[in-house]
Amino acid sequence: MKKSVLNGLFVLTLTLGCKQPIKLEPNNETSLEEAPIERLVTMFTGEFDNIAQMRADQQLDSLTKEEKHGRLNRIFVRVDAPKVGKYVLVGTTRYNGYDDKPWYFDKTEFLVWTFTEDEGSNTITMSPQKFKDLEARIPYATDPEKLSGFGPEDLETGTSGAICQIVWTPTENGFTGKNKPCKVLSTTTGKLLNFDWSYELHEKGMYADVRGLDDEGNVVYSTPGNAPYQLDRIN
């Protein structure tokens, strides 16, 4: 496995391709004394970006073009939606926004995430749904005030590998995440795949690794170079 080298943290001011700036109000200071579910939601709230990894990959002649990571940006805002759950985040994913290239906003990963503690274990399940009126909400996709107040009637099951439930286990420095068995149509390959997500989340950022496997266990889709995305917390 070829690994990328991180060269530091780049702090950016970003927009979603609309006139309104991104509004984030994270509080990422966590304590081991917090309930695990509170700690997980707090650590998830904020903005994560892999521009340092992307820049490092660009400097490595040993990597092919296909093995180099492109730009990835993920934002999670906590919203007030008590009819949906006590712990609710709205997440967005954007790709390729660097130099003069415009951001690509991935509509399949504009998702509402709820969190539930799993009885009889020390784990937390993170479950996604999407907005029925997704297009109308994109202009304020990261504004928690404008997003708040929706109910179950405003949501439906999403598509693509991004809709897999993720089970999180606390660690000393954060959490590890692994998806539940999940077979869905890949929007990247157009094939029905068994998705295999792996995450590491800590206060300074997260690692995100994904595999899409066919029924014979062959890897059809994966992160570039079979190496995880390394996203620094930038807000």
Side-chain angles (χ1 to χ4, degrees):
M1 179 185 297
K2 295 186 174 73
K3 295 185 179 180
S4 303
V5 180
L6 294 182
N7 281 342
L9 178 64
F10 293 74
V11 180
L12 307 177
T13 301
L14 302 171
T15 64
L16 274 173
C18 57
K19 294 182 179 179
Q20 295 180 348
I22 290 175
K23 294 176 65 177
L24 296 174
E25 299 177 358
N27 176 12
N28 303 115
E29 294 184 2
T30 64
S31 168
L32 291 175
E33 296 179 358
E34 285 183 293
I37 192 168
E38 294 275 3
R39 185 168 175 244
L40 176 61
V41 173
T42 299
M43 292 182 72
F44 242 112
T45 303
E47 183 172 4
F48 305 84
D49 200 292
N50 81 323
I51 190 170
Q53 178 186 41
M54 184 200 75
R55 297 297 190 197
D57 277 10
Q58 289 177 338
Q59 303 301 315
L60 295 177
D61 295 333
S62 58
L63 297 179
T64 66
K65 180 179 179 181
E66 292 72 26
E67 292 173 331
K68 294 181 179 181
H69 292 76
R71 179 79 176 278
L72 174 63
N73 176 273
R74 303 198 71 179
I75 297 173
F76 296 88
V77 295
R78 188 168 182 176
V79 299
D80 183 19
K83 293 182 180 180
V84 175
K86 181 178 179 181
Y87 304 100
V88 184
L89 297 182
V90 174
T92 59
T93 301
R94 302 180 298 163
Y95 297 95
N96 297 334
Y98 62 94
D99 297 335
D100 295 328
K101 291 188 177 181
W103 280 109
Y104 169 71
F105 184 88
D106 191 340
K107 296 177 183 179
T108 67
E109 295 193 40
F110 178 25
L111 296 168
V112 176
W113 294 91
T114 55
F115 298 75
T116 54
E117 294 177 291
D118 303 320
E119 294 185 12
S121 70
N122 191 33
T123 60
I124 300 158
T125 295
M126 184 177 173
S127 303
Q129 289 182 284
K130 71 173 185 177
F131 289 111
K132 291 180 180 178
D133 60 344
L134 182 145
E135 293 284 349
R137 295 178 186 263
I138 288 177
Y140 51 90
T142 60
D143 188 327
E145 293 181 5
K146 292 184 177 180
L147 286 169
S148 292
F150 56 85
E153 67 278 4
D154 300 308
L155 304 175
E156 62 186 4
T157 301
T159 57
S160 84
I163 59 100
C164 303
Q165 288 181 304
I166 303 172
V167 178
W168 294 90
T169 303
T171 66
E172 182 178 354
N173 297 317
F175 294 84
T176 58
K178 192 77 173 175
N179 67 281
K180 290 186 177 181
C182 184
K183 188 173 185 177
V184 293
L185 184 67
S186 167
T187 56
T188 303
T189 66
K191 298 179 180 180
L192 196 64
L193 299 177
N194 299 293
F195 275 85
D196 182 14
W197 285 89
S198 297
Y199 280 98
E200 292 182 20
L201 177 66
H202 47 86
E203 293 196 9
K204 293 185 178 180
M206 71 167 72
Y207 285 9
D209 195 23
V210 62
R211 304 279 189 274
L213 298 88
D214 61 21
D215 289 338
E216 285 71 46
N218 300 308
V219 177
V220 179
Y221 170 78
S222 71
T223 47
N226 290 319
Y229 281 103
Q230 301 174 14
L231 296 110
D232 295 313
R233 181 185 300 281
I234 64 171
N235 203 336

